[in-house]
Amino acid sequence: MRIASYATAQGASFGIVTADGIVDLGRRTPFADVSAVLAAGALPELARHAAAAPDFALAEVTLLPAVPSPLRKVLCVGLNYQAHVAESAGREVPEHPRIFARLADTIIAHGAPLWRPVNSTHFDYEGELAVVIGKPGRRIPAARALDHVAAYTIFNDGSLRDYQKHSVTAGKNFPHTGPLGPWLVTADAIPDPAALTLETRVNGEGRQHTSTADMILSVPQLIEYVSAFTPLAPGDVIATGTPDGVAHARKPPPWLVPGDVVEIEISGIGILRNPVVAEPA
């Protein structure tokens, strides 16, 4: 089941994405948004509306980030694909996850402009599988970790590589550089997050192509590690790292520039697409 957050002229809502359009759930359920559904653990209850006639065509709505604001936590993992470590000169396979946080004002929706900051031209893409937590927990063992996953989506960890050299937090947290979407795909539709194919394209040219099986630390291992130091709650997002093929590893680096279009496709989820624009003055 695909669940989208979106806006129309009547305001923000959420619904089930079908082959024919969107079934509005804001008018059919007591929940205000996706975050409220996740907090109530009510995703399975939404399925009974999937056969309803669509209320909107997909083209009639503006998609919002897959998990709408206010976001509690967006935690990201660095160097979590074998081939990406290999292309990163001087890096060794990490024994433990390399975790950093994303600020809420960096997160944007599918279709929204991806800002190339004025501070630097070293703007890079990173296609990633994102995990959305549905069941709260602390110190969650890997063997039970997938029980805590509500859904999956796609993340583009837009990065300023020169800033990242002296501060990962700075390089990963410029405004409007973190697309999250296009929607949530419930965990029952993705029984094995290590059996997906991820591809990133820039202007139609393939840049990244891999299986999530190349992850060094699996989704359950990441949840176990993260929940050891911070409680996880419904709506929290864990971005699981990017594979090889990023711009900074290429010679010369094909940095993102205004006019580019970045597409990240993950099998079973969909395509996250964003145009690159210059950051507004």
Side-chain angles (χ1 to χ4, degrees):
M1 186 168 58
R2 297 179 295 173
I3 307 294
S5 298
Y6 58 88
T8 67
Q10 288 72 47
S13 190
F14 70 107
I16 298 174
V17 180
T18 71
D20 300 316
I22 294 182
V23 177
D24 184 68
L25 296 176
R27 69 180 68 177
R28 289 181 169 84
T29 72
F31 302 107
D33 55 26
V34 167
S35 295
V37 173
L38 293 172
L43 270 180
E45 299 173 23
L46 305 183
R48 63 190 179 91
H49 299 288
D55 299 285
F56 304 102
L58 194 57
E60 293 179 308
V61 307
T62 299
L63 292 179
L64 302 174
V67 180
S69 296
L71 281 165
R72 242 177 55 94
K73 293 175 184 170
V74 179
L75 299 172
C76 305
V77 184
L79 294 176
N80 195 38
Y81 279 78
Q82 296 280 357
H84 182 44
V85 173
E87 74 175 356
S88 302
R91 300 298 187 97
E92 297 181 355
V93 175
E95 182 179 352
H96 302 290
R98 299 192 176 188
I99 305 293
F100 57 92
R102 270 275 187 173
L103 303 178
D105 65 0
T106 70
I107 305 301
I108 61 173
H110 167 83
L114 183 60
W115 290 1
R116 201 279 296 274
V118 299
N119 306 62
S120 170
T121 60
H122 293 196
F123 191 31
D124 209 346
Y125 52 84
E126 289 193 3
E128 306 196 13
L129 173 68
V131 178
V132 180
I133 298 299
K135 178 182 175 183
R138 178 82 193 279
R139 291 182 283 273
I140 302 165
R144 297 203 306 270
L146 293 184
D147 295 340
H148 291 256
V149 176
Y152 298 91
T153 189
I154 305 171
F155 184 59
N156 182 358
D157 186 20
S159 306
L160 268 291
R161 296 301 189 186
D162 46 356
Y163 272 75
Q164 188 180 339
K165 288 179 181 178
H166 49 79
S167 170
V168 172
T169 297
K172 299 287 191 174
N173 275 290
F174 280 78
H176 291 244
T177 58
L180 183 71
W183 38 62
L184 301 179
V185 174
T186 52
D188 61 302
I190 300 179
D192 184 2
L196 305 175
T197 299
L198 183 155
E199 182 175 11
T200 300
R201 299 181 291 270
V202 179
N203 304 327
E205 176 194 356
R207 298 284 181 86
Q208 297 180 291
H209 187 90
T210 194
S211 167
T212 52
D214 191 49
M215 283 187 193
I216 297 167
L217 295 163
S218 67
V219 169
Q221 288 173 309
L222 293 175
I223 291 172
E224 180 178 68
Y225 182 89
V226 169
S227 68
F229 74 85
T230 186
L232 290 175
D236 287 349
V237 177
I238 301 173
T240 58
T242 200
D244 61 309
V246 294
H248 85 91
R250 295 168 177 256
K251 306 298 180 189
W255 304 121
L256 296 175
V257 297
D260 285 344
V261 176
V262 183
E263 294 179 315
I264 301 166
E265 182 172 5
I266 298 182
S267 58
I269 298 178
I271 299 173
L272 174 64
R273 181 186 298 107
N274 298 86
V276 180
V277 303
E279 180 180 5

